Amino acid sequence: MDLIQSSASRFLSLPFHIPPRNKDAAEFLIFRQRKCFSHSQSLSTVRTSPLIQATRRDGGSELETAVVVDKPRLGKYQVSEGHPAPFGATVRDGGVNFSVYSANAVSASLCLISLDDLAENRVTEEIPLDPLANKTGYIWHVFLKGEFRDVLYGYRFDGKFSRGEGHYFDSSKIVLDPYAKAVISRGEFGVLGPDDNCWPQMAGMIPAAQDKFDWQGDLPLRYSQKDLVIYEMHVRGFTQHESSRTEFPGTYLGIVEKLDHLKELGVNCIELMPCHEFNELEYFSYNSVLGDHRMNFWGYSTVNYFSPMTRYSSAGTRNCGRDAINEFKFLVREAHKRGIEVIMDVVFNHTAEGNEKGPILSFRGIDNSVYYMLAPKGEFYNYSGCGNTFNCNHPVVRQLILDCLRYWVIEMHVDGFRFDLASIMTRGSSLWDPVNVFGKPIEGDLLTTGSPLGSPPLIDMISNDPILREVKLIAEAWDAGGLYQVGTFPHWQIWSEWNGKFRDIVRQFIKGTDGFAGAFAECLCGSPNLYQEGGRKPWNSINFVCAHDGFTLADLVTYNNKNNLANGEDNNDGENHNNSWNCGQEGEFASILVKKLRKRQMRNFFVCLMVSQGIPMIYMGDEYGHTKGGNNNTYCHDNYINYFRWDKKEESSSDFYRFCCQMTKFRHECKSLGLNDFPTAERLQWHGHYPCVPDWSETSRFVAFTQIDSAKGEIYVAFNANHLPVTVTLPERPGYRWEPLVDTGKPAPYDFLYSDVPERDAAVKQYGHFLDANFYPMHTYSSIILILSPDEIA
């Protein structure tokens, strides 16, 4: 598929999630100690077990020697049965309640780990859970009173280890609680753990009653979706480059220091690439091409869904992750103060545990057959292209997702979510029993695992949740298994979609491909061909030309072919069909004429984005022309390729960046460019080279329209995607004349004739004789916007 599978292609050539550096380590026979605790064991009994496995960089495995400590270091806790709800670790009644779901485990224990012991791969204290007293249904629970300062927690589960039956219980592993609110392991981004370990032991933060944040009266901005201008950004990449001159580069606080840039650009909503806890060292290996190491930079490989990425905070693991949580909250609060909403890119389609060769971190060790979509013999379905598929429509999993989303809205104040590979959330779950699906046995194979569902339970729950239906919900409406639902995603009339068809059509038309004039016009109207019949509106379409996947805007007009050699995969990764055009010469070294054409094309794309109905989305760095050197799959680069170049932005402040700022300002000023419904003939009229004579033929490369606007009166917009210039005849408006505002064929600053342009009146007069005769000359590959003004002479 064109660019559809790019979310998956970033991983397809890699061994799935193997922590060591060689594949042989995946088959390494690990020591697994299994213990079953007697039902009559005292609840107050506390034992110490240091069985946490460490993995060396050379692929070997180390196990601490089992030592029984007679006297627990932290002192005994007051232990009682606890409560099955809510899930996770919850402060209540002067202590902490722990609750976790596992249907197939035969034994479980709560592991308490001090910060010092975490660094040494030891468990400080372990509390066995009595299946009679500490289990309700399939929920294990316990209540503790005591001192939890600098103490973390995890679980140890035991049960059957049978890949054929989908069970991966391993009592030598300490696993994360899926509901943990902060995950602690390494404290600094990109820095290896003890003994150069890429996957040091992780543990969850235990909440405390004094955990508070001063929101200073923060309330949701609740912008109408039709008024949004979205900016897709990477937390680390935005300020990590030295030219950012921020006090805390690469962090949530770094973004706060640069929020004024976004305000100036006209952005009122930022879409953060994954900020849930992930392991950036997941693919850690030496890259001989650049002389650095490959990283999981993008973060589309979640370890825990409730925890903000601690290594995106300046605090790291300080205060057991509480400071990292507060830094994320600080970002949201300060963004809201500047009128900017915050949307999170969430990855509920797969996790970092990969396929059967991946690590046991959390879900797999708790109840693999519940959390992952499995075939009858235990194989992992791979609709994500990343080794596993989250079993989203299983009752327990969908409840986890719902709880997670509500937590980020209620506790963290985020304004919405963009769901990566969201079509996976519409696939039928693997429940291992037809009764769980239909309520009774069935004859034949009526619904197989992974089948697309017309009314997916998870999407139904989210869409009708009294909290979540009031926030922004955006679907990437496809997956790596071939399910493409742009225009057909189950939406309950509230979901928006990344409009991949807008991207592809606009790219084709602007570069001058025949046969796209009519489709381009549909895009300008908000894609009614996709959304109108289903009862949706233009704002259900998220319009974008570029995103983190694929070429940047500058590379889109500079390269015909991807240049991914820096990834170390012999240029085999990434999308091959980019619908790009280098404007006549490949690469950055080109003639002056080619470079001028490239600048026009970048402006043409941005004009299209801002005058189209629907929600425009800008990719970080495109506002100044960031280049990745033709690399369309930069998932593994923690370097200048992915870093926002503030020095380059300053260099272009009088050129393309200024143009982008003016275009977003113009969009906000126009009432007709963010309509709540699709434009009709009463408001919009199509034109060709002559008024009211549009050309929808196969060879047409010209599209123009006029639109009534309550703020501007009327605007005229035209796109000439031909290699020949053209003089257009403008619609006659007695008593009025057309005034030039935007012309991408002119050099800066005359490409946008706002009042700040020096000698603006002289520039306008240069075209006065044309406008007097109701004509306007257009350059090859250019676009224009004219404004209707009263004719003082008339």
Side-chain angles (χ1 to χ4, degrees), residues 123-161:
V123 171
T124 308
E125 297 188 7
E126 186 160 349
I127 302 172
L129 304 185
D130 186 338
L132 295 180
N134 298 109
K135 188 179 181 185
T136 303
Y138 294 144
I139 302 173
W140 301 80
H141 47 81
V142 64
F143 180 78
L144 270 65
K145 287 186 177 181
E147 176 56 55
F148 295 104
R149 181 179 178 83
D150 293 335
V151 180
L152 308 169
Y153 79 106
Y155 289 99
R156 190 194 307 277
F157 288 94
D158 205 356
K160 183 180 293 187
F161 189 97

Side-chain angles (χ1 to χ4, degrees), residues 602-635:
M602 289 173 64
R603 286 166 169 77
N604 293 336
F605 280 120
F606 207 83
V607 169
C608 171
L609 198 58
M610 290 299 148
V611 302
S612 295
Q613 300 297 329
I615 303 173
M617 187 185 79
I618 307 167
Y619 175 54
M620 180 184 84
D622 278 350
E623 69 266 36
Y624 69 83
H626 181 77
T627 177
K628 296 182 179 181
N631 193 326
N632 69 359
N633 189 33
T634 60
Y635 73 97

Side-chain angles (χ1 to χ4, degrees), residues 167-189:
H167 300 311
Y168 284 75
F169 292 106
D170 186 341
S171 63
S172 72
K173 303 289 187 182
I174 307 302
V175 295
L176 281 170
D177 179 1
Y179 280 76
K181 302 307 186 291
V183 172
I184 306 304
S185 58
R186 297 176 296 101
E188 188 175 349
F189 192 95

Side-chain angles (χ1 to χ4, degrees), residues 363-439:
F363 309 98
R364 173 166 296 154
I366 294 174
D367 211 332
N368 183 76
S369 64
V370 168
Y371 286 104
Y372 296 111
M373 198 179 291
L374 304 178
K377 294 184 179 181
E379 305 96 331
F380 288 85
Y381 281 99
N382 189 20
Y383 294 116
S384 68
C386 302
N388 65 54
T389 304
F390 214 43
N391 204 19
C392 295
N393 282 301
H394 186 286
V396 171
V397 182
R398 66 178 184 250
Q399 186 62 54
L400 177 142
I401 294 173
L402 197 77
D403 290 343
C404 175
L405 297 175
R406 298 187 81 178
Y407 171 80
W408 283 94
V409 172
I410 297 170
E411 182 64 27
M412 309 296 268
H413 286 209
V414 301
D415 302 283
F417 307 93
R418 177 264 186 188
F419 295 81
D420 183 66
L421 298 183
S423 289
I424 282 176
M425 300 193 301
T426 72
R427 291 184 180 271
S429 64
S430 56
L431 295 179
W432 299 84
D433 184 355
V435 175
N436 287 326
V437 180
F438 300 103

Side-chain angles (χ1 to χ4, degrees), residues 261 264-266 602-603 606-607 610 618 621-625 648-666 740-744 746-760 763:
H261 162 75
E264 181 183 41
L265 180 58
M602 289 173 64
R603 286 166 169 77
F606 207 83
V607 169
M610 290 299 148
I618 307 167
D622 278 350
E623 69 266 36
Y624 69 83
K648 298 295 184 183
K649 176 253 177 175
E650 294 302 326
E651 290 175 8
S652 68
S653 61
S654 61
D655 191 354
F656 187 59
Y657 175 66
R658 171 191 171 272
F659 182 85
C660 292
C661 291
Q662 301 286 33
M663 276 304 310
T664 54
K665 179 182 178 182
F666 176 73
L741 178 68
V742 175
D743 188 340
T744 62
K746 293 181 180 179
Y750 304 106
D751 51 357
F752 206 114
L753 293 175
Y754 258 150
S755 57
D756 64 338
V757 176
E759 302 180 359
R760 177 187 180 278

Side-chain angles (χ1 to χ4, degrees), residues 519-728:
F520 180 72
E522 292 273 8
C523 291
L524 293 173
C525 292
S527 302
N529 57 318
L530 295 178
Y531 301 112
Q532 192 168 31
E533 185 176 348
R536 287 194 278 180
K537 306 296 183 180
W539 49 263
N540 291 117
S541 172
I542 307 295
N543 301 332
F544 67 103
V545 175
C546 299
H548 67 273
D549 274 333
F551 282 149
T552 65
L553 187 58
D555 290 348
L556 186 65
V557 300
T558 305
Y559 296 91
N560 283 353
N561 304 302
K562 66 182 182 183
N563 182 23
N564 296 1
L565 290 172
N567 298 354
E569 301 177 43
D570 297 324
N571 212 37
N572 291 319
D573 63 306
E575 179 57 53
N576 292 316
H577 307 287
N578 297 285
N579 294 322
S580 61
W581 179 43
N582 62 19
C583 297
Q585 291 179 266
E586 187 78 358
E588 295 186 43
F589 298 100
S591 68
I592 294 177
L593 288 177
V594 168
K595 288 184 176 180
K596 287 183 177 180
L597 175 55
R598 289 173 178 174
K599 287 186 176 182
R600 289 206 304 276
Q601 288 291 73
M602 289 173 64
R603 286 166 169 77
N604 293 336
F605 280 120
F606 207 83
V607 169
C608 171
L609 198 58
M610 290 299 148
V611 302
S612 295
Q613 300 297 329
I615 303 173
M617 187 185 79
I618 307 167
Y619 175 54
M620 180 184 84
D622 278 350
E623 69 266 36
Y624 69 83
H626 181 77
T627 177
K628 296 182 179 181
N631 193 326
N632 69 359
N633 189 33
T634 60
Y635 73 97
C636 60
H637 294 289
D638 180 30
N639 54 43
Y640 67 92
I641 295 177
N642 278 318
Y643 294 167
F644 189 103
R645 294 289 302 272
W646 294 93
D647 51 345
K648 298 295 184 183
K649 176 253 177 175
E650 294 302 326
E651 290 175 8
S652 68
S653 61
S654 61
D655 191 354
F656 187 59
Y657 175 66
R658 171 191 171 272
F659 182 85
C660 292
C661 291
Q662 301 286 33
M663 276 304 310
T664 54
K665 179 182 178 182
F666 176 73
R667 179 181 176 87
H668 286 307
E669 290 175 346
C670 287
K671 303 301 182 182
S672 63
L673 297 182
L675 297 175
N676 198 47
D677 214 335
F678 298 100
T680 64
E682 295 177 355
R683 178 188 292 270
L684 183 144
Q685 192 171 29
W686 297 105
H687 308 287
H689 294 160
Y690 300 95
C692 304
V693 188
D695 183 1
W696 307 123
S697 67
E698 189 70 15
T699 57
S700 174
R701 299 184 184 181
F702 184 88
V703 172
F705 65 91
T706 51
Q707 189 155 300
I708 304 298
D709 186 272
S710 59
K712 300 293 184 181
E714 188 173 5
I715 61 175
Y716 176 92
V717 182
F719 296 87
N720 179 30
N722 207 312
H723 64 283
L724 297 174
V726 62
T727 298
V728 298

